[in-house]
Amino acid sequence: MSTPSNNSGSAFPTENEESLLPGERVAAASEVPCPDCGEKVRAGLVRCWNCGCFLREDIANKFQKMQQAPQQVIFSELSQTEALPLGTEEDGGFQLRVVEATPARTLPQSEVYGLTSSEDADDDDGDAEASADAPGTAEAKGGSAPSETKKKGNPPPDTAVGGVAHSVATGGDVLLEVALSEQAEDRKRRKKRGVSMKGGARTPGGFVIFCPYGCQIEVRDQHRGMTGQCPKCRAPFIVPTNPPDYGHKERQVEEAAVAASTSPTGEWTPWLIDVHVHDVNPEKLKLKAGSLVKEFAEMDLAFGPQGLLLMTLAKKSGGLFGGGGDKNRPETRALVQAHFKDGKGVSESPAAESRQYSIAELSQLRVVQPTATPGDSMFAGIPVFGEYQIAVQMPFSEGQHPRYLSFGLTGFREFTAALNAIVPEVMLVAHGAPTEDKFVTSKCHYTDVEIQAVENLPWYQADAKSGVVLAGWRCAACGLTISEDGRKKENLGGKAGKGIAKAKCPKCTNKFGEQPLYTLPSHLATPALAGEGAST
């Protein structure tokens, strides 16, 4: 408990001190006020704990003298062996001395870490004896040979070890070589252990498991399915058996897909996947452009001698965790195709739902978007299925809402080609949609490569399957064409072409403008090599 401050300096207890216990009064009586800030501090302290002021005048005076006195610099005299004579001014005031390089010696591991084995000791003794008997030793220089006790004992600092100076033997290069050699040996040891062992086990053919409390236990394959007791914590554990073959179903689906790829679906061919099917309720229909773009289900279409087959491969799950049925669609498709390849019937197919339209019913098919006149469609000419999309009305079925199929340009061409193969008299025409690919050909100003710009570009851009690519650019002022490769080579409009609208045309020097030219990947021309023509 802290005592209240008494800045008055009086030794008599105040009203607050009278409420203290006897022991607390004794502690308060032994406190003195700080002469600087007035805070109570214990008697005998050197400095105040609050402001740091010295409480004793003699110590404060000594501290001031220490601060005022300059710190003395102590110089040590060099020995005569270390002193070197000064050189001339050309040498910078120093005299250079040539030191003969001593060859480095690789130390054994025990010698580097201060360990001494019996073999190393014998080798050191042999080296010392050899150096003593060899000519040009200490006796030849006038010195005396080292005694036996000095050979076997630890050499003093800066003395020779095995004929090599201690500073050289323990230099940075030597230690680096030792570390690299140890690292290489460790890599070989790990690689060898990884080939012969698995699961971190030290025993070949074994593997490591964990007990319920996390202790590592090494077991062998022959122990699988057996129970044991942990040698550390004595907890019981079960050695796991071989894991089940979870990939059996995946391999089965892959095999079915491979089998179906040779002759995909037997008599039901061709096969169109992920076609957008719209079941439209006329009472809830909104006559607004794009109102039915997202209202569809993806189904597969198959054509055969018996007519058209419309299949729902997987329904969306309505359980607690939402959808998930669509993830199995490729697997179900492969199984259904293999089913039809074996000549089995429609009613037995693995598909979730199937609807077969006969040859007679296919004569009722008609295009409802786009049409020549708004009166030909129940949608009054409004593109409810999206701009530049083609919608086909399916035959009516009792008790069901009208059903429509929507395609891009490429999908509609595939559908009509498959339909005409089994029902040639049914001709579906989408008003305004190009029936074939047409191009406008021009040459690049820089590379002389042909640029085949596709006509009716909006239809291709709205079709994800067309895959149109940027082929070049056309000047808005003079009509000069430049390929995309030529634009990049000449750096016209920047690296990415973002500034091409304001770039100067190399022919008319006006602003080039932004008029891109697109083409199909099969008609994209590339610059030719020297001596070759343009390739497509």
Side-chain angles (χ1 to χ4, degrees), residues 249 252-253 256-257 329-340 350:
K249 184 177 180 181
Q252 184 180 5
V253 173
R329 187 184 304 165
E331 301 177 0
T332 307
R333 179 181 295 116
L335 296 176
V336 172
Q337 291 178 353
H339 171 82
F340 288 129

Side-chain angles (χ1 to χ4, degrees), residues 497-534:
K498 295 181 179 180
I500 193 170
K502 298 181 180 180
K504 289 185 178 181
C505 176
K507 182 179 180 181
C508 63
T509 66
N510 294 323
K511 290 185 178 181
F512 199 86
E514 190 172 0
Q515 293 186 0
L517 304 177
Y518 289 88
T519 187
L520 299 179
S522 58
H523 290 71
L524 181 63
T526 57
L529 299 176
E532 298 182 0

Side-chain angles (χ1 to χ4, degrees), residues 381-392:
I382 300 175
V384 293
F385 297 96
E387 292 286 347
Y388 302 103
Q389 296 294 313
I390 304 173
V392 178

Side-chain angles (χ1 to χ4, degrees), residues 67 239 247 332:
Q67 294 293 330
V239 182
T332 307

Side-chain angles (χ1 to χ4, degrees), residues 95-101:
Q95 181 176 359
L96 304 179
R97 181 176 62 182
V98 179
V99 180
E100 296 182 359

